[in-house]
């Protein structure tokens, strides 16, 4: 029998995504809610044992027998009629606000919504980002803890890529400075592994041949991303061939656009194989020095960027060199969240999820949270109504259970109330911010949400949906749908931010039916029936 262990983690936000792919959970344990007094014989029959019981909630933490997976346990318990529900013992983690003391001075990361992205993933050490630059001060206290894979110095042709300039240490810190370690700053992808590749000498200059060597070295040594805060004005087929080679090896090149303040091409950024990056300031304006144009795809913060410096310090630098590692770090973060993504897919996620900043770039300023990979929920998650009742009318039939499944059991409002449009019947439904399996939906991870209702009324009825704004305490119109048949489904795609529907912890909805064919008080009562009500959508992985 396995010993019960307590997970000391706080906050909520893990969403069940169906049996095909379970969210992070404790192996060998499931939560089960039994019908009264039927738990013990069921567990005995399935050779399971209770670990913990939550009095008042009626939920038991069950220890599965050795050799039984969580998926197998769920299937076994869910197949028994005495089980109300069974679910994994999911793991929840804190919503991260880093404790790095200089984070408050780093406007760039909140600007691109890194804290929200870190709630989804903090980077993985299995993902490598090559910083092709002046090398790195690998003794810096914010750049230690096994962060580095073996690198190379192409400027001096040796295996020691130690920084003797400072530029590369600064860009590396923006990519991956250690996070939440109560030291200094934090990078965009704090947990990724850096391959330090020195291609620029102490003077800050280097040859294309050195850069080509650096590109190939990074690609050959497993880099998923190549960060190049450098460039020249001369076009080079050899350099472009190196970029094609790197892409073939699964490495996405990212390069700074240049600091000329014009639209002239800089290489390697101008090659189609690279993501070209311009610089913006704290107000999302183009930095005056930044190169721009229709060949530059994205922008990122690049003015007064705080990062690591040689000798263990921290300092401000400006340039598209500072913008490039924001994008490279984001690419590494995305790859960490979904290692199956190709360079082209990562590039598309970055490009298609930018915030608009003007026409000096073709896509916009990067947004880390929006660019993180999406997964589809395996089954539409159902938010259980907490209350249902008559809003307008003369009588009401039904209960909460009637709204949970499509079983021809329904709530019904009968009304003789008449307004200027005709007979009216309305039901109010309150939905708490939790799935029926008791897992809380982390609204910061939701990117789409649909409300679906199965309703029945006479053909020609107009069904309208309203939600109560908790701030104004007023009903806000959402949608009207005419019913062309007796039975129908009303689906409403809710707009973000989704927190507005749950601002008070629960959302209140008003479903109103109007029969325009009835115009007098003496007409027969009008009936509006409501069956299953559910919320479904897309969530961040």
């Amino acid at each position: 029998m396995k010993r019960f262990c307590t997970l000391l983690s706080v906050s909520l936000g893990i969403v069940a995504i169906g049996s095909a792919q379970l969210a992070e959970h404790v192996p060998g344990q499931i939560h089960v809610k039994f019908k009264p007094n039927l738990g013990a014989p069921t567990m005995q029959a399935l050779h399971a044992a209770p670990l913990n019981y939550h009095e008042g909630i009626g939920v038991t933490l069950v220890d599965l027998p050795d050799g039984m997976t969580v998926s197998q346990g769920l299937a076994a318990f869910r197949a028994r009629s005495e089980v109300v529900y069974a679910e994994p013992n999911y793991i929840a983690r804190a919503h991260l606000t880093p404790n790095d003391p200089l984070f408050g001075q780093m406007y760039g990361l909140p600007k691109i919504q890194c804290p929200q992205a870190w709630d989804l993933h903090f980077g993985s050490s299995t993902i490598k980002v090559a910083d092709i630059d002046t090398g790195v001060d690998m003794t810096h206290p914010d750049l230690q803890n096994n962060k580095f894979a073996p690198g190379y110095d192409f400027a001096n042709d040796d295996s020691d890529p130690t920084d003797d300039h400072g530029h590369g240490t600064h860009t590396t810190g923006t990519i991956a400075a250690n996070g939440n370690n109560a030291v200094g700053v934090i990078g965009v992808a704090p947990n990724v592994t850096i391959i330090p590749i020195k291609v620029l000498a102490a003077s800050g200059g280097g040859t294309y041949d050195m850069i080509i060597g650096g590109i190939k070295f990074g690609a050959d040594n497993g880099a998923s991303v190549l960060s190049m805060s450098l460039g020249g004005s001369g076009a080079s087929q050899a350099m472009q061939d190196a970029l094609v080679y790197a892409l073939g090896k699964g490495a996405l090149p990212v390069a700074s656009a240049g600091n000329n303040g014009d639209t002239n091409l800089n290489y390697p950024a101008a090659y189609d194989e690279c993501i070209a990056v311009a610089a913006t300031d704290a107000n999302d304006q183009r930095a005056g020095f930044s190169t721009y144009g229709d060949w530059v795809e994205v922008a990122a913060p690049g003015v007064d960027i705080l990062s690591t410096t040689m000798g263990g310090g921290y300092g401000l630098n400006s340039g598209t060199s500072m913008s490039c590692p924001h994008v490279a770090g984001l690419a590494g973060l995305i790859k960490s969240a979904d290692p199956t993504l190709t360079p082209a897919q990562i590039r598309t996620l970055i490009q298609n999820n930018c915030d608009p900043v003007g026409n000096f770039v073709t896509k916009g300023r990067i947004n880390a949270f929006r660019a993180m990979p999406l997964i589809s929920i395996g089954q539409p998650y159902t938010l259980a109504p907490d209350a249902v009742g008559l809003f307008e009318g003369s009588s009401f039939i039904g209960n909460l259970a009637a709204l949970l499944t499509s079983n021809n059991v329904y709530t019904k409002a009968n009304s003789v109330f008449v307004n200027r449009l005709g007979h009216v019947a309305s039901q109010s439904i309150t939905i708490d911010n939790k799935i029926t399996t008791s897992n809380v939906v982390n609204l910061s991870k939701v990117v789409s949400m649909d409300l679906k209702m199965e309703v029945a009324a006479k053909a020609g009825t107009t069904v309208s949906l309203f939600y109560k704004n908790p701030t104004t305490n007023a009903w806000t119109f959402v949608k009207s749908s005419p019913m062309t048949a007796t039975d129908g489904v009303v689906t409403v795609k809710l707009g973000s931010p989704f927190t507005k529907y749950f601002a008070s912890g629960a959302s209140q909805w008003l479903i109103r039916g109007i029969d325009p064919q009835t115009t007098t008080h003496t007409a027969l009562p009008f009936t509006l029936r409501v069956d299953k009500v559910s919320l479904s959508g897309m969530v961040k992985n």
Side-chain angles (χ1 to χ4, degrees):
M1 187 66 65
K2 297 175 291 292
R3 290 193 304 168
F4 172 60
C5 61
T6 301
L7 291 172
L8 297 179
S9 59
V10 297
S11 179
L12 295 162
I14 303 299
V15 180
I17 56 175
S19 58
Q21 184 181 3
L22 296 174
E24 188 180 13
H25 59 276
V26 179
Q29 297 179 7
I30 62 173
H31 278 127
V32 182
K33 186 167 186 176
F34 298 97
K35 293 179 180 178
N37 303 316
L38 295 177
T42 304
M43 285 186 285
Q44 184 177 6
L46 294 175
H47 306 290
L51 289 173
N52 194 19
Y53 178 72
H54 297 280
E55 188 73 38
I57 301 174
V59 173
T60 302
L61 180 62
V62 174
D63 187 24
L64 298 175
D66 291 335
M68 180 179 284
T69 68
V70 167
S71 294
Q72 291 169 337
L74 292 175
F77 277 86
R78 288 172 177 172
R80 302 184 70 97
S81 61
E82 63 269 26
V83 172
V84 179
Y85 61 76
E87 66 190 32
N89 185 16
Y90 289 108
I91 296 172
R93 301 198 181 279
H95 286 185
L96 180 66
T97 299
N99 62 12
D100 306 84
L102 300 180
F103 176 71
Q105 301 177 39
M106 303 176 72
Y107 78 87
L109 302 188
K111 174 69 71 174
I112 66 172
Q113 290 199 287
C114 270
Q116 292 89 333
W118 293 329
D119 281 344
L120 311 179
H121 213 286
F122 211 48
S124 170
S125 62
T126 63
I127 302 302
K128 298 176 182 178
V129 177
D131 192 41
I132 302 174
D133 210 295
T134 65
V136 183
D137 178 1
M138 289 174 280
T139 67
H140 195 291
D142 235 0
L143 296 173
Q144 292 180 339
N145 301 330
N146 302 316
K147 181 170 289 295
F148 297 100
Y152 199 82
D153 180 354
F154 287 89
N156 298 295
D157 196 19
D158 60 47
S159 59
D160 182 10
T162 298
D163 195 357
D164 54 8
H165 178 277
H167 189 268
T169 300
H170 198 277
T171 57
T172 296
T174 299
I175 296 170
N178 293 325
N180 211 34
N181 62 341
V183 175
V185 295
I186 182 174
V188 175
N191 286 346
V192 300
T193 295
I194 294 292
I195 304 177
I197 303 176
K198 182 175 174 60
V199 299
L200 302 178
S203 63
T207 68
Y208 275 23
D209 190 67
M210 296 174 185
I211 297 169
I212 291 168
I215 292 171
K216 185 177 186 301
F217 185 91
D220 286 344
N221 285 276
S224 297
V225 185
L226 308 177
S227 182
M228 296 174 285
S229 291
L230 47 78
S233 58
S236 164
Q237 186 63 56
M239 182 182 285
Q240 187 172 19
D241 287 347
L243 297 172
V244 172
Y245 175 86
L247 278 171
K249 289 277 192 172
L252 174 63
V254 181
S256 52
N259 297 335
N260 298 327
D262 55 28
T263 60
N264 292 335
L265 302 182
N266 278 281
Y267 303 94
Y271 291 119
D272 290 341
E273 290 75 19
C274 276
I275 297 180
V277 187
T280 50
D281 61 19
N283 297 314
D284 269 342
Q285 300 297 307
R286 178 180 71 86
F289 57 75
S290 179
T291 299
Y292 62 100
D294 58 8
W295 61 276
V296 183
E297 298 164 73
V298 301
V303 177
D304 292 334
I305 301 302
L306 183 66
S307 188
T308 47
T309 59
M310 290 170 56
Y314 303 88
L316 299 172
N317 275 331
S318 297
T320 56
S321 283
M322 284 61 254
S323 304
C324 173
H326 282 85
V327 180
L330 173 55
L333 198 65
I334 292 171
K335 183 72 172 179
S336 297
D338 187 349
T340 68
L341 292 174
T342 66
Q345 290 170 324
I346 295 171
R347 186 173 189 165
T348 297
L349 282 170
I350 292 173
Q351 290 176 338
N352 291 352
N353 290 285
C354 287
D355 292 331
V357 290
N359 59 6
F360 58 90
V361 292
T362 59
K363 298 298 182 180
R365 193 256 302 130
I366 62 167
N367 183 307
F369 174 60
R370 288 175 53 192
M372 291 296 281
L374 304 180
I375 58 169
S376 177
I377 297 171
Q379 302 174 17
Y381 56 85
T382 300
L383 301 185
D386 284 329
V388 60
L390 187 69
F391 186 80
E392 294 168 328
S394 59
S395 62
F396 181 78
I397 298 172
N399 53 39
L400 285 176
L403 299 183
L404 300 181
T405 58
S406 299
N407 54 8
N408 293 320
V409 178
Y410 45 80
T411 59
K412 182 170 67 173
N414 299 312
S415 181
V416 292
F417 174 77
V418 179
N419 68 11
R420 61 185 178 84
L421 297 176
H423 268 239
V424 177
S426 302
Q427 298 182 35
S428 64
I429 296 176
T430 301
I431 303 175
D432 198 0
N433 178 23
K434 61 185 177 183
I435 310 179
T436 53
T437 56
S438 301
N439 289 295
V440 174
V441 177
N442 183 348
L443 292 173
S444 70
K445 296 184 181 183
V446 177
V447 293
S448 69
M449 185 177 282
D450 299 328
L451 181 65
K452 181 178 178 181
M453 297 164 292
E454 298 179 14
V455 297
K458 66 184 334 184
T461 298
T462 297
V463 176
S464 299
L465 181 70
F466 303 79
Y467 80 94
K468 179 166 282 189
N469 186 318
T471 302
T472 63
N473 204 36
W475 291 103
T476 302
F477 173 76
V478 178
K479 181 181 180 179
S480 281
S481 294
M483 294 191 63
T484 57
T486 302
D487 292 286
V489 177
V490 178
T491 301
V492 181
K493 186 170 291 296
L494 303 179
S496 62
F498 305 108
T499 51
K500 68 184 179 183
Y501 302 109
F502 294 95
S504 60
S507 60
Q508 290 182 276
W509 300 90
L510 170 61
I511 302 170
R512 170 181 286 174
I514 298 178
D515 175 14
Q517 301 175 30
T518 303
T519 57
T520 68
H521 287 277
T522 58
L524 294 174
F526 168 67
T527 298
L528 174 69
R529 299 183 312 194
V530 179
D531 198 348
K532 186 176 181 180
V533 177
S534 64
L535 274 169
S536 63
M538 297 285 290
V539 296
K540 294 283 187 178
N541 190 1

